[in-house]
């Protein structure tokens, strides 16, 4: 099933604009990008969009400690996370799903900083519900 879906991937030499144009023209494809790719992109599609994130978008810690985590790093990560999510749903007609494969969003004390913007019914954190969503069961 997946072997027929083109995979576009960002690399150090990639032209992000060209990748986005290809993505926006294909009816089905998988686009693999990095942290920098999420800034200023416009995912255009009349189909459902799915955005997969492997981890929460924390910046690289500055200095030797995490003392600025709650005052600087966490607020930056939450803002960046909301911007990424906003790429999926830009208008009331847009449909999409964001898959986050980082269980810290459910287990760490800062989870509410990220999840307070999403209704509880939109957060799936068990495999059976995810499978039903994925396969339309």
């Amino acid at each position: 099933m997946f072997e027929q879906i083109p995979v576009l991937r960002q690399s150090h030499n990639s032209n992000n604009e060209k990748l986005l144009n290809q993505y926006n023209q294909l009816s089905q494809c998988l686009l693999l990008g990095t942290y920098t790719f999420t800034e200023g992109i416009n995912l255009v599609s009349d189909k459902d969009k799915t955005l997969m994130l492997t981890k929460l978008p924390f910046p690289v810690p500055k200095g030797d400690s995490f003392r600025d985590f709650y005052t600087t790093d966490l607020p930056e990560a939450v803002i960046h996370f909301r911007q990424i999510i906003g790429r999926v749903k830009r208008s009331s007609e847009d449909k999409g799903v964001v898959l986050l494969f980082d269980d810290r969003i459910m287990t760490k004390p800062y989870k509410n900083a990220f999840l307070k913007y999403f209704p509880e019914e939109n957060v799936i954190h068990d495999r059976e519900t995810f499978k039903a969503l994925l396969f339309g069961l």
Side-chain angles (χ1 to χ4, degrees):
M1 175 174 145
F2 291 109
E3 54 274 345
Q4 297 176 359
I5 297 176
V7 177
L8 306 174
R9 69 179 191 275
Q10 182 186 26
S11 67
H12 290 296
N13 299 329
S14 296
N15 178 326
N16 290 354
E17 187 174 328
K18 182 179 177 184
L19 279 174
L20 280 176
N21 286 336
Q22 289 175 318
Y23 172 82
N24 290 331
Q25 290 174 4
L26 294 168
S27 62
Q28 280 189 326
C29 77
L30 178 61
L31 174 60
L32 305 175
T34 64
Y35 184 85
T36 60
F37 198 76
T38 60
E39 298 172 1
I41 64 170
N42 185 17
L43 302 176
V44 179
S45 176
D46 57 353
K47 309 262 190 269
D48 292 353
K49 295 179 255 183
T50 302
L51 182 61
M52 293 185 261
L53 303 172
T54 57
K55 64 184 188 81
L56 290 168
F58 285 114
V60 176
K62 298 167 184 80
D64 295 333
S65 73
F66 288 92
R67 110 180 123 221
D68 295 329
F69 178 77
Y70 283 99
T71 58
T72 304
D73 296 338
L74 181 61
E76 284 180 28
V78 170
I79 290 169
H80 194 72
F81 184 70
R82 290 183 66 201
Q83 289 173 334
I84 292 168
I85 302 302
R87 305 297 182 216
V88 174
K89 187 163 176 74
R90 290 186 175 245
S91 73
S92 59
E93 292 84 36
D94 286 344
K95 295 181 277 183
V97 174
V98 175
L99 302 174
L100 176 63
F101 299 103
D102 187 340
D103 63 356
R104 293 179 298 175
I105 200 164
M106 300 307 295
T107 61
K108 295 296 182 183
Y110 51 76
K111 73 179 188 178
N112 290 332
F114 290 95
L115 295 178
K116 71 180 178 182
Y117 301 103
F118 304 98
E120 181 62 32
E121 64 270 11
N122 291 351
V123 178
I124 297 172
H125 42 83
D126 66 84
R127 287 185 179 190
E128 294 309 312
T129 306
F130 174 68
K131 284 182 192 176
L133 174 71
L134 188 62
F135 296 110
L137 304 173

